[in-house]
Amino acid sequence: MIIKDSHIPIYFQLEMEIKELIKDLQPGDPISSEREFSEKYDISRMTVRQAINNLVNEGILVRKRGKGTFVAEPKVEQPLSGLTSFSEDMRSRGLTPKTKILDFQVIPSNRSVAGKLMIQEGEFVYEVRRLRLADDIPMALETSYLPLSLMKDLTKEIVNASLYDYIENDLKQQISHATQTLESSLSQKQESMLLQLKDGAPVLLIERYSYLGSGIPFEYVKSIYRGDRYKFVIDMKRANQ
Ligand code: 16G
């Protein structure tokens, strides 16, 4: 129901109304058109458009050109407590992980990468750019720097499958901990193309430094995750508990 003389903006009331309506729908189901909403609630189409835009930006609805507006797939929820790999994350949700390698080369580290991996500037590192997909939907774009000295026989085939699996099961090394930062950002041209987003769509920029049991950093990764497909979940404990 929409109350016109309420202090709550009408577009916001409509957002709430649509969120309720789509509880009974499935991902991919169409919602009513702007005109239908505008007639049903006797409100302007501009107000309807504003509400729908907000829900599209939140990743709750998707617009398909020439087809209409549909209920979006639910976001992938990723807990930030465990140190997991992309492959593990996707499998644990019943999705099939896939990788497209965009770049795989050995380069001398520059000062910034060397500092992050605690190696000498100029020491060789693999630079691996991967597009990560789940059930064929692009989810993230990752650029990893990995010291050559720690994994001399790394190949494209290995990073096409799972890096963490290789480290633990082939190199028999223990992956111990990581530090990760998350920031919001807007997708740039090439990222948008690869992630199938509009230019300037919201994305999450994630940097991860991961360490072996011996305390040696084995990767520095910069990733861009689709803001409309991801939701990070953090469990918190009050200090005195
Ligand atoms: C995740 C990690 C990335 C790691 C990758 C290994 C984040 C932000 N990044 O994508 O650092 O290299 O998993 O996945 O979570 P893999 O074992 O499937 O190659």
Side-chain angles (χ1 to χ4, degrees), residues 78 82-97 132 161-165 168-169 175 208 230:
Q78 185 174 333
L83 175 50
T84 50
S85 72
F86 182 84
S87 306
E88 289 165 343
D89 287 339
M90 294 309 123
R91 287 204 185 100
S92 68
R93 292 177 180 86
L95 304 171
T96 307
R132 314 295 312 252
S162 165
L163 174 70
Y164 283 12
D165 184 47
E168 291 178 328
N169 297 319
I175 295 176
R208 185 187 277 193
Y230 262 87

PDB file of all heavy atoms in Angstrom, residues 78 82-97 132 161-165 168-169 175 208 230:
ATOM      1  N   GLN A  78      29.367 -14.132   0.760  1.00  0.00           N
ATOM      2  CA  GLN A  78      30.657 -14.697   1.111  1.00  0.00           C
ATOM      3  C   GLN A  78      31.066 -14.286   2.518  1.00  0.00           C
ATOM      4  O   GLN A  78      31.261 -13.104   2.786  1.00  0.00           O
ATOM      5  CB  GLN A  78      31.728 -14.239   0.116  1.00  0.00           C
ATOM      6  CG  GLN A  78      33.038 -14.927   0.397  1.00  0.00           C
ATOM      7  CD  GLN A  78      34.093 -14.630  -0.645  1.00  0.00           C
ATOM      8  OE1 GLN A  78      33.791 -14.338  -1.786  1.00  0.00           O
ATOM      9  NE2 GLN A  78      35.338 -14.696  -0.238  1.00  0.00           N
ATOM     10  N   GLY A  82      36.539 -17.179   6.948  1.00  0.00           N
ATOM     11  CA  GLY A  82      37.438 -18.264   6.539  1.00  0.00           C
ATOM     12  C   GLY A  82      38.279 -17.868   5.336  1.00  0.00           C
ATOM     13  O   GLY A  82      37.854 -17.056   4.517  1.00  0.00           O
ATOM     14  N   LEU A  83      39.469 -18.430   5.249  1.00  0.00           N
ATOM     15  CA  LEU A  83      40.344 -18.145   4.100  1.00  0.00           C
ATOM     16  C   LEU A  83      40.087 -19.207   3.037  1.00  0.00           C
ATOM     17  O   LEU A  83      40.587 -20.321   3.126  1.00  0.00           O
ATOM     18  CB  LEU A  83      41.807 -18.147   4.551  1.00  0.00           C
ATOM     19  CG  LEU A  83      42.876 -17.981   3.474  1.00  0.00           C
ATOM     20  CD1 LEU A  83      42.583 -16.806   2.569  1.00  0.00           C
ATOM     21  CD2 LEU A  83      44.225 -17.779   4.128  1.00  0.00           C
ATOM     22  N   THR A  84      39.238 -18.849   2.079  1.00  0.00           N
ATOM     23  CA  THR A  84      38.825 -19.842   1.080  1.00  0.00           C
ATOM     24  C   THR A  84      39.223 -19.381  -0.318  1.00  0.00           C
ATOM     25  O   THR A  84      39.537 -18.223  -0.530  1.00  0.00           O
ATOM     26  CB  THR A  84      37.293 -20.024   1.127  1.00  0.00           C
ATOM     27  OG1 THR A  84      36.697 -18.732   1.076  1.00  0.00           O
ATOM     28  CG2 THR A  84      36.851 -20.742   2.367  1.00  0.00           C
ATOM     29  N   SER A  85      39.190 -20.334  -1.252  1.00  0.00           N
ATOM     30  CA  SER A  85      39.523 -20.004  -2.640  1.00  0.00           C
ATOM     31  C   SER A  85      38.238 -19.763  -3.417  1.00  0.00           C
ATOM     32  O   SER A  85      37.157 -20.163  -2.975  1.00  0.00           O
ATOM     33  CB  SER A  85      40.280 -21.155  -3.279  1.00  0.00           C
ATOM     34  OG  SER A  85      39.399 -22.237  -3.509  1.00  0.00           O
ATOM     35  N   PHE A  86      38.391 -19.159  -4.561  1.00  0.00           N
ATOM     36  CA  PHE A  86      37.224 -18.928  -5.419  1.00  0.00           C
ATOM     37  C   PHE A  86      36.539 -20.256  -5.746  1.00  0.00           C
ATOM     38  O   PHE A  86      35.313 -20.372  -5.661  1.00  0.00           O
ATOM     39  CB  PHE A  86      37.655 -18.211  -6.707  1.00  0.00           C
ATOM     40  CG  PHE A  86      36.519 -17.894  -7.609  1.00  0.00           C
ATOM     41  CD1 PHE A  86      35.764 -16.749  -7.418  1.00  0.00           C
ATOM     42  CD2 PHE A  86      36.167 -18.745  -8.651  1.00  0.00           C
ATOM     43  CE1 PHE A  86      34.687 -16.453  -8.248  1.00  0.00           C
ATOM     44  CE2 PHE A  86      35.091 -18.463  -9.480  1.00  0.00           C
ATOM     45  CZ  PHE A  86      34.351 -17.311  -9.275  1.00  0.00           C
ATOM     46  N   SER A  87      37.358 -21.254  -6.116  1.00  0.00           N
ATOM     47  CA  SER A  87      36.785 -22.555  -6.490  1.00  0.00           C
ATOM     48  C   SER A  87      35.973 -23.136  -5.332  1.00  0.00           C
ATOM     49  O   SER A  87      34.853 -23.631  -5.528  1.00  0.00           O
ATOM     50  CB  SER A  87      37.886 -23.539  -6.869  1.00  0.00           C
ATOM     51  OG  SER A  87      38.698 -22.984  -7.867  1.00  0.00           O
ATOM     52  N   GLU A  88      36.534 -23.072  -4.122  1.00  0.00           N
ATOM     53  CA  GLU A  88      35.805 -23.607  -2.954  1.00  0.00           C
ATOM     54  C   GLU A  88      34.514 -22.820  -2.707  1.00  0.00           C
ATOM     55  O   GLU A  88      33.461 -23.410  -2.454  1.00  0.00           O
ATOM     56  CB  GLU A  88      36.684 -23.509  -1.698  1.00  0.00           C
ATOM     57  CG  GLU A  88      37.843 -24.476  -1.689  1.00  0.00           C
ATOM     58  CD  GLU A  88      38.898 -24.112  -0.639  1.00  0.00           C
ATOM     59  OE1 GLU A  88      38.911 -22.964  -0.140  1.00  0.00           O
ATOM     60  OE2 GLU A  88      39.720 -24.979  -0.334  1.00  0.00           O
ATOM     61  N   ASP A  89      34.629 -21.492  -2.797  1.00  0.00           N
ATOM     62  CA  ASP A  89      33.450 -20.649  -2.535  1.00  0.00           C
ATOM     63  C   ASP A  89      32.305 -20.994  -3.461  1.00  0.00           C
ATOM     64  O   ASP A  89      31.154 -21.092  -3.049  1.00  0.00           O
ATOM     65  CB  ASP A  89      33.785 -19.163  -2.752  1.00  0.00           C
ATOM     66  CG  ASP A  89      34.645 -18.598  -1.646  1.00  0.00           C
ATOM     67  OD1 ASP A  89      34.658 -19.194  -0.553  1.00  0.00           O
ATOM     68  OD2 ASP A  89      35.312 -17.583  -1.885  1.00  0.00           O
ATOM     69  N   MET A  90      32.619 -21.139  -4.739  1.00  0.00           N
ATOM     70  CA  MET A  90      31.554 -21.395  -5.709  1.00  0.00           C
ATOM     71  C   MET A  90      30.970 -22.795  -5.525  1.00  0.00           C
ATOM     72  O   MET A  90      29.761 -22.975  -5.532  1.00  0.00           O
ATOM     73  CB  MET A  90      32.057 -21.212  -7.146  1.00  0.00           C
ATOM     74  CG  MET A  90      32.444 -19.793  -7.461  1.00  0.00           C
ATOM     75  SD  MET A  90      31.139 -18.606  -7.021  1.00  0.00           S
ATOM     76  CE  MET A  90      31.993 -17.521  -5.907  1.00  0.00           C
ATOM     77  N   ARG A  91      31.871 -23.787  -5.326  1.00  0.00           N
ATOM     78  CA  ARG A  91      31.368 -25.166  -5.160  1.00  0.00           C
ATOM     79  C   ARG A  91      30.487 -25.283  -3.933  1.00  0.00           C
ATOM     80  O   ARG A  91      29.474 -25.959  -3.964  1.00  0.00           O
ATOM     81  CB  ARG A  91      32.538 -26.141  -5.059  1.00  0.00           C
ATOM     82  CG  ARG A  91      33.192 -26.336  -6.395  1.00  0.00           C
ATOM     83  CD  ARG A  91      33.945 -27.642  -6.529  1.00  0.00           C
ATOM     84  NE  ARG A  91      34.618 -27.632  -7.795  1.00  0.00           N
ATOM     85  CZ  ARG A  91      35.897 -27.344  -7.964  1.00  0.00           C
ATOM     86  NH1 ARG A  91      36.667 -27.100  -6.911  1.00  0.00           N
ATOM     87  NH2 ARG A  91      36.432 -27.307  -9.167  1.00  0.00           N
ATOM     88  N   SER A  92      30.873 -24.578  -2.858  1.00  0.00           N
ATOM     89  CA  SER A  92      30.085 -24.712  -1.631  1.00  0.00           C
ATOM     90  C   SER A  92      28.676 -24.142  -1.822  1.00  0.00           C
ATOM     91  O   SER A  92      27.784 -24.381  -1.029  1.00  0.00           O
ATOM     92  CB  SER A  92      30.783 -24.030  -0.456  1.00  0.00           C
ATOM     93  OG  SER A  92      30.774 -22.647  -0.660  1.00  0.00           O
ATOM     94  N   ARG A  93      28.487 -23.361  -2.867  1.00  0.00           N
ATOM     95  CA  ARG A  93      27.145 -22.827  -3.155  1.00  0.00           C
ATOM     96  C   ARG A  93      26.452 -23.588  -4.275  1.00  0.00           C
ATOM     97  O   ARG A  93      25.460 -23.132  -4.807  1.00  0.00           O
ATOM     98  CB  ARG A  93      27.256 -21.374  -3.589  1.00  0.00           C
ATOM     99  CG  ARG A  93      27.685 -20.534  -2.470  1.00  0.00           C
ATOM    100  CD  ARG A  93      27.873 -19.110  -2.870  1.00  0.00           C
ATOM    101  NE  ARG A  93      28.287 -18.414  -1.692  1.00  0.00           N
ATOM    102  CZ  ARG A  93      29.530 -18.326  -1.285  1.00  0.00           C
ATOM    103  NH1 ARG A  93      30.495 -18.850  -2.006  1.00  0.00           N
ATOM    104  NH2 ARG A  93      29.825 -17.728  -0.170  1.00  0.00           N
ATOM    105  N   GLY A  94      27.074 -24.682  -4.688  1.00  0.00           N
ATOM    106  CA  GLY A  94      26.449 -25.483  -5.735  1.00  0.00           C
ATOM    107  C   GLY A  94      26.661 -24.896  -7.123  1.00  0.00           C
ATOM    108  O   GLY A  94      25.970 -25.265  -8.070  1.00  0.00           O
ATOM    109  N   LEU A  95      27.585 -23.942  -7.255  1.00  0.00           N
ATOM    110  CA  LEU A  95      27.857 -23.337  -8.565  1.00  0.00           C
ATOM    111  C   LEU A  95      29.137 -23.960  -9.127  1.00  0.00           C
ATOM    112  O   LEU A  95      30.000 -24.414  -8.371  1.00  0.00           O
ATOM    113  CB  LEU A  95      28.051 -21.818  -8.418  1.00  0.00           C
ATOM    114  CG  LEU A  95      26.897 -21.052  -7.761  1.00  0.00           C
ATOM    115  CD1 LEU A  95      27.289 -19.613  -7.476  1.00  0.00           C
ATOM    116  CD2 LEU A  95      25.670 -21.083  -8.656  1.00  0.00           C
ATOM    117  N   THR A  96      29.269 -23.959 -10.443  1.00  0.00           N
ATOM    118  CA  THR A  96      30.467 -24.534 -11.062  1.00  0.00           C
ATOM    119  C   THR A  96      31.473 -23.427 -11.373  1.00  0.00           C
ATOM    120  O   THR A  96      31.173 -22.524 -12.147  1.00  0.00           O
ATOM    121  CB  THR A  96      30.092 -25.273 -12.369  1.00  0.00           C
ATOM    122  OG1 THR A  96      29.060 -26.188 -12.056  1.00  0.00           O
ATOM    123  CG2 THR A  96      31.279 -25.997 -12.973  1.00  0.00           C
ATOM    124  N   PRO A  97      32.675 -23.497 -10.722  1.00  0.00           N
ATOM    125  CA  PRO A  97      33.669 -22.450 -11.001  1.00  0.00           C
ATOM    126  C   PRO A  97      34.311 -22.653 -12.358  1.00  0.00           C
ATOM    127  O   PRO A  97      34.528 -23.790 -12.779  1.00  0.00           O
ATOM    128  CB  PRO A  97      34.709 -22.637  -9.885  1.00  0.00           C
ATOM    129  CG  PRO A  97      34.576 -24.060  -9.468  1.00  0.00           C
ATOM    130  CD  PRO A  97      33.163 -24.478  -9.752  1.00  0.00           C
ATOM    131  N   ARG A 132      37.053 -14.886 -13.399  1.00  0.00           N
ATOM    132  CA  ARG A 132      36.467 -16.014 -12.670  1.00  0.00           C
ATOM    133  C   ARG A 132      34.958 -16.021 -12.903  1.00  0.00           C
ATOM    134  O   ARG A 132      34.293 -14.993 -12.756  1.00  0.00           O
ATOM    135  CB  ARG A 132      36.759 -15.912 -11.161  1.00  0.00           C
ATOM    136  CG  ARG A 132      38.183 -15.570 -10.769  1.00  0.00           C
ATOM    137  CD  ARG A 132      39.235 -16.593 -11.129  1.00  0.00           C
ATOM    138  NE  ARG A 132      39.021 -17.964 -10.828  1.00  0.00           N
ATOM    139  CZ  ARG A 132      39.652 -18.648  -9.870  1.00  0.00           C
ATOM    140  NH1 ARG A 132      40.508 -18.042  -9.080  1.00  0.00           N
ATOM    141  NH2 ARG A 132      39.447 -19.939  -9.701  1.00  0.00           N
ATOM    142  N   ALA A 161      42.665 -24.153 -13.140  1.00  0.00           N
ATOM    143  CA  ALA A 161      41.897 -24.935 -12.163  1.00  0.00           C
ATOM    144  C   ALA A 161      41.923 -24.152 -10.844  1.00  0.00           C
ATOM    145  O   ALA A 161      41.259 -23.125 -10.737  1.00  0.00           O
ATOM    146  CB  ALA A 161      42.507 -26.315 -12.036  1.00  0.00           C
ATOM    147  N   SER A 162      42.731 -24.606  -9.867  1.00  0.00           N
ATOM    148  CA  SER A 162      42.739 -23.895  -8.584  1.00  0.00           C
ATOM    149  C   SER A 162      44.160 -23.708  -8.051  1.00  0.00           C
ATOM    150  O   SER A 162      44.903 -24.672  -7.874  1.00  0.00           O
ATOM    151  CB  SER A 162      41.905 -24.665  -7.571  1.00  0.00           C
ATOM    152  OG  SER A 162      42.173 -24.204  -6.264  1.00  0.00           O
ATOM    153  N   LEU A 163      44.507 -22.468  -7.793  1.00  0.00           N
ATOM    154  CA  LEU A 163      45.830 -22.157  -7.257  1.00  0.00           C
ATOM    155  C   LEU A 163      46.008 -22.733  -5.843  1.00  0.00           C
ATOM    156  O   LEU A 163      47.038 -23.320  -5.515  1.00  0.00           O
ATOM    157  CB  LEU A 163      46.012 -20.627  -7.222  1.00  0.00           C
ATOM    158  CG  LEU A 163      47.283 -20.123  -6.564  1.00  0.00           C
ATOM    159  CD1 LEU A 163      48.508 -20.445  -7.422  1.00  0.00           C
ATOM    160  CD2 LEU A 163      47.211 -18.620  -6.317  1.00  0.00           C
ATOM    161  N   TYR A 164      44.966 -22.566  -5.020  1.00  0.00           N
ATOM    162  CA  TYR A 164      45.083 -23.033  -3.636  1.00  0.00           C
ATOM    163  C   TYR A 164      45.195 -24.563  -3.569  1.00  0.00           C
ATOM    164  O   TYR A 164      45.918 -25.107  -2.742  1.00  0.00           O
ATOM    165  CB  TYR A 164      43.889 -22.548  -2.802  1.00  0.00           C
ATOM    166  CG  TYR A 164      43.966 -21.093  -2.392  1.00  0.00           C
ATOM    167  CD1 TYR A 164      44.907 -20.227  -2.960  1.00  0.00           C
ATOM    168  CD2 TYR A 164      43.117 -20.561  -1.426  1.00  0.00           C
ATOM    169  CE1 TYR A 164      44.976 -18.887  -2.594  1.00  0.00           C
ATOM    170  CE2 TYR A 164      43.185 -19.224  -1.048  1.00  0.00           C
ATOM    171  CZ  TYR A 164      44.109 -18.394  -1.639  1.00  0.00           C
ATOM    172  OH  TYR A 164      44.184 -17.078  -1.260  1.00  0.00           O
ATOM    173  N   ASP A 165      44.498 -25.213  -4.480  1.00  0.00           N
ATOM    174  CA  ASP A 165      44.555 -26.660  -4.537  1.00  0.00           C
ATOM    175  C   ASP A 165      45.999 -27.096  -4.880  1.00  0.00           C
ATOM    176  O   ASP A 165      46.551 -28.022  -4.280  1.00  0.00           O
ATOM    177  CB  ASP A 165      43.561 -27.132  -5.612  1.00  0.00           C
ATOM    178  CG  ASP A 165      43.472 -28.631  -5.688  1.00  0.00           C
ATOM    179  OD1 ASP A 165      43.353 -29.240  -4.618  1.00  0.00           O
ATOM    180  OD2 ASP A 165      43.555 -29.188  -6.802  1.00  0.00           O
ATOM    181  N   GLU A 168      48.380 -26.507  -1.842  1.00  0.00           N
ATOM    182  CA  GLU A 168      48.202 -27.452  -0.735  1.00  0.00           C
ATOM    183  C   GLU A 168      48.454 -28.899  -1.150  1.00  0.00           C
ATOM    184  O   GLU A 168      49.106 -29.635  -0.416  1.00  0.00           O
ATOM    185  CB  GLU A 168      46.793 -27.303  -0.152  1.00  0.00           C
ATOM    186  CG  GLU A 168      46.646 -25.981   0.569  1.00  0.00           C
ATOM    187  CD  GLU A 168      45.263 -25.747   1.140  1.00  0.00           C
ATOM    188  OE1 GLU A 168      44.274 -26.220   0.550  1.00  0.00           O
ATOM    189  OE2 GLU A 168      45.176 -25.076   2.165  1.00  0.00           O
ATOM    190  N   ASN A 169      47.965 -29.284  -2.311  1.00  0.00           N
ATOM    191  CA  ASN A 169      48.036 -30.706  -2.655  1.00  0.00           C
ATOM    192  C   ASN A 169      49.248 -31.091  -3.490  1.00  0.00           C
ATOM    193  O   ASN A 169      49.693 -32.226  -3.413  1.00  0.00           O
ATOM    194  CB  ASN A 169      46.737 -31.128  -3.334  1.00  0.00           C
ATOM    195  CG  ASN A 169      45.579 -30.958  -2.374  1.00  0.00           C
ATOM    196  OD1 ASN A 169      45.701 -31.265  -1.187  1.00  0.00           O
ATOM    197  ND2 ASN A 169      44.481 -30.422  -2.846  1.00  0.00           N
ATOM    198  N   ILE A 175      48.537 -23.250   3.642  1.00  0.00           N
ATOM    199  CA  ILE A 175      48.105 -21.850   3.500  1.00  0.00           C
ATOM    200  C   ILE A 175      47.592 -21.438   4.867  1.00  0.00           C
ATOM    201  O   ILE A 175      46.693 -22.080   5.420  1.00  0.00           O
ATOM    202  CB  ILE A 175      47.003 -21.713   2.434  1.00  0.00           C
ATOM    203  CG1 ILE A 175      47.565 -22.088   1.055  1.00  0.00           C
ATOM    204  CG2 ILE A 175      46.434 -20.305   2.429  1.00  0.00           C
ATOM    205  CD1 ILE A 175      46.538 -22.087  -0.068  1.00  0.00           C
ATOM    206  N   ARG A 208      44.219  -8.834  -1.514  1.00  0.00           N
ATOM    207  CA  ARG A 208      44.502  -9.883  -0.530  1.00  0.00           C
ATOM    208  C   ARG A 208      45.993 -10.206  -0.535  1.00  0.00           C
ATOM    209  O   ARG A 208      46.594 -10.347  -1.592  1.00  0.00           O
ATOM    210  CB  ARG A 208      43.704 -11.151  -0.855  1.00  0.00           C
ATOM    211  CG  ARG A 208      43.867 -12.231   0.191  1.00  0.00           C
ATOM    212  CD  ARG A 208      43.212 -13.544  -0.238  1.00  0.00           C
ATOM    213  NE  ARG A 208      41.780 -13.574   0.041  1.00  0.00           N
ATOM    214  CZ  ARG A 208      41.054 -14.689  -0.015  1.00  0.00           C
ATOM    215  NH1 ARG A 208      41.606 -15.850  -0.308  1.00  0.00           N
ATOM    216  NH2 ARG A 208      39.761 -14.667   0.228  1.00  0.00           N
ATOM    217  N   TYR A 230      27.636  -9.802  -5.386  1.00  0.00           N
ATOM    218  CA  TYR A 230      28.312 -10.179  -4.148  1.00  0.00           C
ATOM    219  C   TYR A 230      27.823  -9.442  -2.928  1.00  0.00           C
ATOM    220  O   TYR A 230      27.513  -8.252  -2.987  1.00  0.00           O
ATOM    221  CB  TYR A 230      29.820  -9.903  -4.274  1.00  0.00           C
ATOM    222  CG  TYR A 230      30.570 -11.153  -4.632  1.00  0.00           C
ATOM    223  CD1 TYR A 230      30.721 -11.519  -5.951  1.00  0.00           C
ATOM    224  CD2 TYR A 230      31.073 -11.985  -3.642  1.00  0.00           C
ATOM    225  CE1 TYR A 230      31.372 -12.681  -6.294  1.00  0.00           C
ATOM    226  CE2 TYR A 230      31.718 -13.151  -3.970  1.00  0.00           C
ATOM    227  CZ  TYR A 230      31.868 -13.497  -5.290  1.00  0.00           C
ATOM    228  OH  TYR A 230      32.505 -14.646  -5.608  1.00  0.00           O
TER     229      TYR A 230
END
